[in-house]
Amino acid sequence: MCSVWVSWTSLVSMMICCSDVATTQQPSNAQTSTTSNVNFSILNIEGENYIRLNCASRAIEHPFEPGGISAQFVHVPKAAGTTIEHYLLDLARRNKIQVVRSSEEFNPIQSTKFFFGHSRIKLFSSNITQPLRITSFRSALSAVESFYRYKSRASRSHYNGNNKVLQAAMRVHQAEGRALDSAHATLRSLGVPQNKSLDYMIRTNMSAVLSQVHFRQSNYLQTDLCRTQTCTIGCAMRNVLLCEIVVWSDDLQNQWTTQMRYHVQPTGNTTTGHANPSHWPHQMLSRSGLEALLNDDIFREELEFANFTHRLANTRTYCAEHKLATVLFKLLPREAHLINNAQCGGHL
């Protein structure tokens, strides 16, 4: 790192480039199968670990069409999810598909539905047709900054609907925003610039910022049972492998368009516009701030999960581009260990 202060964008690039990025490979001596979405048996081929992904297009099952399979969008916050959700809601309504919040009744076999919202992934027994699962992610570092900037205006948010789950979530959201408002007032009195406020709070371990540092994209890939039972990050890795459309927000346009055209019958323009402005300035992170983050166990685990989903999104896009029926997805040694020993609250 050549300077004491660096931008979050630079840090994100460094964390991705410096990690041991595994590539997707299909060794010539490997057998292929299209019978299931994922075979969770880890294959060891020439000393490397792989897991078999079924990449076959689901367009033949007519998602987002009357009489076709249902679809679920696992909406991870602050990862271009609102952009994707608006597009999918519009598509479902134009095709007269019932839309249901995932926090409500969730039965994919009664009729064709589109399930959406900030809810955890739903899993079903293997003897029914699985819904098309869609999700998106971003880097762990940029997720912390984005969530912080979002929460910095949370005290001014409001919700006028009658959904009790959303009402409760908004109360928590507003309380976190008020805590940050108080922290920002303290920082102003100390002369801390706005673009270094997050760094200061991380370095001094201020409680107001803990919910942003500990924001877990992986939670949305844990089932509801994980609210009351112990689940591990390996379970989230297993569950995200069940998602056929996985998008990395920094490459949203390319990955989204490519994967949607592969899994959903052409329905016109798949272009999405991504705009979710924040009035809070972009943050700068110091060396000591970065060290504090990397010394945080929860953040390090999320960094590992985000790097895993980044490679998976690239793999799913590659499969869609080349119309592959199956592919072997290479795992880092620790990923293989986590997936092999996953505790999933009774699922999988």
Side-chain angles (χ1 to χ4, degrees):
M1 203 175 296
C2 25
S3 62
V4 175
W5 291 95
V6 294
S7 71
W8 283 79
T9 304
S10 300
L11 282 169
V12 169
S13 300
M14 283 189 287
M15 295 304 294
I16 291 173
C17 294
C18 296
S19 62
D20 182 13
V21 178
T23 55
T24 307
Q25 301 180 25
Q26 177 102 35
S28 58
N29 61 335
Q31 295 182 344
T32 60
S33 170
T34 59
T35 57
S36 63
N37 190 331
V38 180
N39 181 342
F40 286 108
S41 298
I42 294 176
L43 307 175
N44 189 280
I45 302 172
E46 298 178 355
E48 302 284 1
N49 294 308
Y50 297 86
I51 201 161
R52 183 175 286 116
L53 292 180
N54 176 9
C55 297
S57 170
R58 301 201 70 185
I60 195 173
E61 299 172 273
H62 305 288
F64 293 96
E65 296 181 51
I69 61 170
S70 293
Q72 181 196 9
F73 176 47
V74 182
H75 187 167
V76 177
K78 314 314 298 172
T82 300
T83 298
I84 294 172
E85 188 169 275
H86 285 172
Y87 174 85
L88 294 174
L89 283 170
D90 180 66
L91 175 61
R93 286 164 177 156
R94 278 192 283 114
N95 291 344
K96 297 181 169 49
I97 302 300
Q98 183 182 357
V99 297
V100 182
R101 285 197 174 274
S102 294
S103 56
E104 301 172 10
E105 177 206 3
F106 200 103
N107 187 334
I109 60 176
Q110 289 180 344
S111 61
T112 304
K113 295 183 176 72
F114 169 54
F115 300 94
F116 72 101
H118 291 303
S119 294
R120 294 167 179 250
I121 192 171
K122 303 293 192 292
L123 302 179
F124 308 98
S125 61
S126 58
N127 62 348
I128 70 168
T129 300
Q130 300 296 303
L132 174 70
R133 294 189 178 94
I134 304 165
T135 191
S136 62
F137 300 95
R138 70 188 304 161
S139 79
L141 283 164
S142 64
V144 168
E145 187 205 8
S146 180
F147 208 57
Y148 168 73
R149 297 173 71 213
Y150 174 63
K151 290 292 185 180
S152 292
R153 62 182 190 276
S155 62
R156 297 174 290 282
S157 302
H158 63 277
Y159 170 70
N160 297 322
N162 298 317
N163 186 302
K164 292 183 178 179
V165 174
L166 293 181
Q167 288 174 348
M170 181 54 67
R171 286 193 292 271
V172 173
H173 181 60
Q174 291 170 335
E176 291 175 342
R178 288 192 294 272
L180 280 176
D181 287 347
S182 177
H184 291 151
T186 300
L187 266 57
R188 284 195 298 272
S189 70
L190 296 172
V192 177
Q194 274 194 340
N195 68 339
K196 297 178 181 178
S197 57
L198 176 57
D199 178 80
Y200 184 92
M201 286 193 273
I202 289 172
R203 289 188 291 106
T204 57
N205 200 29
M206 292 181 71
S207 59
V209 82
L210 280 181
S211 66
Q212 288 82 62
V213 172
H214 292 166
F215 168 60
R216 305 196 71 152
Q217 297 182 95
S218 61
N219 276 352
Y220 291 84
L221 276 298
Q222 308 274 20
T223 67
D224 284 331
L225 282 178
C226 293
R227 297 179 188 273
T228 57
Q229 301 183 33
T230 300
C231 296
T232 61
I233 197 73
C235 183
M237 289 178 173
R238 291 180 66 151
N239 289 348
V240 74
L241 289 168
L242 297 172
C243 298
E244 289 94 349
I245 296 179
V246 181
V247 175
W248 190 252
S249 64
D250 287 344
D251 192 19
L252 173 64
Q253 196 58 70
N254 171 54
Q255 294 193 353
W256 173 251
T257 301
T258 302
Q259 294 185 53
M260 274 293 289
R261 286 176 176 168
Y262 184 57
H263 288 289
V264 180
Q265 291 287 352
T267 54
N269 187 15
T270 57
T271 300
T272 56
H274 182 44
N276 191 5
S278 171
H279 298 298
W280 202 258
H282 284 288
Q283 299 295 300
M284 302 294 289
L285 189 68
S286 65
R287 288 181 180 178
S288 55
L290 175 59
E291 289 170 358
L293 274 179
L294 295 178
N295 284 329
D296 185 280
D297 290 342
I298 292 177
F299 177 80
R300 281 204 315 273
E301 197 169 71
E302 282 303 296
L303 180 64
E304 192 170 23
F305 178 73
N307 287 343
F308 176 82
T309 61
H310 187 196
R311 298 197 330 273
L312 180 62
N314 289 340
T315 299
R316 289 292 189 189
T317 304
Y318 180 86
C319 287
E321 283 175 341
H322 297 276
K323 298 180 171 54
L324 299 179
T326 186
V327 73
L328 293 182
F329 178 63
K330 185 179 177 181
L331 302 174
L332 300 179
R334 179 165 157 77
E335 292 168 352
H337 172 77
L338 290 169
I339 291 171
N340 229 6
N341 297 279
Q343 298 176 23
C344 297
H347 280 264
L348 293 178

